[in-house]
Amino acid sequence: MPENNKNRAVYRLAFAAMLVALSCILSFGKFAVGPNVNVTFYFLPIAVGAMYLGPLPAAAVGAVADLLGCLIMPTGPYFPGFTLNAAVVGLVYGLFFRWQKPKLWKVIVARLGLIVAIDLFFTPLWLQLLY
């Protein structure tokens, strides 16, 4: 670990940038489970960033990864609601995993909360507004 605060800030920034790149790469790999259901692992680097960097940097990692993913390989028109979703994912994981080893119950509660909030409420709302 770096000794002084300046080196620590550079280390954290480089680590966050690496997580953004890894999240973008993982978002391109999709596994089709059904005709309209895909499984991706883009959230894993965001969760790792939440565990090591904290809630706000993890939210920034999620938002920047979403923006870069939209620029590199767009799957439709850009809508800022989905970027907000990615930032909320990082924020929620950061609040549950805050600088400690995550326990199984915290992982389950965080993931279920995100499924209810993001997948069942916000994503249909953004799709309704977009289309």
Side-chain angles (χ1 to χ4, degrees), residues 98-118:
R98 194 175 187 122
W99 299 291
Q100 58 187 334
K101 184 178 176 186
K103 295 183 169 79
L104 181 62
W105 71 269
K106 286 186 177 183
V107 173
I108 292 171
V109 169
R111 191 65 201 141
L112 285 176
L114 287 171
I115 287 171
V116 169
I118 302 293

Side-chain angles (χ1 to χ4, degrees), residues 38-70:
N38 292 325
V39 176
T40 63
F41 296 104
Y42 77 93
F43 64 92
L44 290 176
I46 299 171
V48 169
M51 193 167 59
Y52 288 109
L53 300 173
L56 292 178
V61 166
V64 171
D66 182 71
L67 288 171
L68 281 178
C70 287

